[in-house]
Amino acid sequence: MPFSLAPAEVEPPEAEPVPLHEAYRACEEIARAHYENFPVASRFLPTDRRIALAAIYAFARQADDIADAQAPSEDRLRALDAIEAALLRAVDGAPQGAIFTALADAVERHRLPVEPFLDLLHAFRMDARDATFPTWDDLLAYCRGSANPVGRLVLALHNVEDPEAVRASDAVCTALQLTNFWQDLGQDLARGRLFFPLEDLNHFAVDPKELTRPSSRAALSRLLTHECRATRDLFARGAPVVRATPLLLSIHLRATIAGGLAILRATERLGWRVLERRPKLSGPARAGIAIRALIGLDG
């Protein structure tokens, strides 16, 4: 379903207030529908933190959908400006709509910083401008805004401030974002987006305009293998975060990392076929991840 650039959450001031429990329930529904790891990983969190995380995810999902909408860039940027204005109104005590009602409560209840939300919007504005990434470092810089703020908010929810934990969280969040890019290659191409660094496309002799042609399949598979291995290195770099966080968050993070690695392995196995089939976790795979996370096993 195409996403409207006049989202229901950016409501006029006279809109009826949304009861808090309904607002959180709506956010959880969004999180479950759009984040494959959320139903598995979030079950290990205390209820107050789980619903706060759902509000964070719902906000990010809404803004991301706007950035990716099939609409002119200027319309998407204008809608993101409206989202930012609604965010600032919400944290100032005047939330409108379910997502911002829940988010305002989460920010106040858990004393969350506002800056990570603004960092997310900055990255989504890059999406709205259909940015490309000349180098791997440029892509990582984008992920610092599009993914890492979510991890920092998760740590803030649990009062984790250790710099090593933050750095490890950043690596995991970047790895999860990259995994999503490789997993969604076919869908992104269909809407005119490509997240491979241009230097890597050149190195593997992959012409973006020829990406879907049979003649590009072997080179595309080699390129995906390269990107998946680099992404796996980031997961490894971030693995210590599970030892630097409270027990329930550690279990949540184990499940999140394991789910990301499972998707990454499936993507690498598919190679060029990821253009035709988006890898996803099966029910038994999700159950296995949950069990392994609970007993303290990784991957």
Side-chain angles (χ1 to χ4, degrees), residues 156-269:
L157 272 175
H158 294 80
N159 302 309
V160 176
E161 299 177 350
D162 176 62
E164 290 298 324
V166 173
R167 279 191 286 273
S169 170
D170 285 350
V172 168
C173 289
T174 292
L176 289 167
Q177 175 77 91
L178 294 172
T179 298
N180 184 247
F181 289 157
W182 318 143
Q183 173 191 25
D184 285 347
L185 178 60
Q187 294 179 0
D188 287 340
L189 276 178
R191 60 184 180 84
R193 293 291 280 133
L194 187 63
F195 290 94
F196 289 130
L198 300 182
E199 65 178 4
D200 291 351
L201 288 166
N202 290 334
H203 179 78
F204 287 92
V206 176
D207 184 343
K209 297 178 182 177
E210 306 288 326
L211 206 56
T212 59
R213 292 183 178 273
S215 58
S216 296
R217 288 174 176 174
L220 176 56
S221 291
R222 289 193 294 271
L223 172 59
L224 275 167
T225 295
H226 171 78
E227 306 297 11
C228 287
R229 288 176 178 172
T231 303
R232 191 174 295 111
D233 288 344
L234 284 166
F235 274 121
R237 194 183 309 169
V241 72
V242 303
R243 298 190 295 273
T245 47
L247 177 61
L248 293 179
L249 177 57
S250 176
I251 296 172
H252 167 86
L253 293 172
R254 285 183 190 277
T256 300
I257 292 169
L261 283 168
I263 290 292
L264 191 65
R265 287 191 293 268
T267 300
E268 187 173 1
R269 283 196 301 269

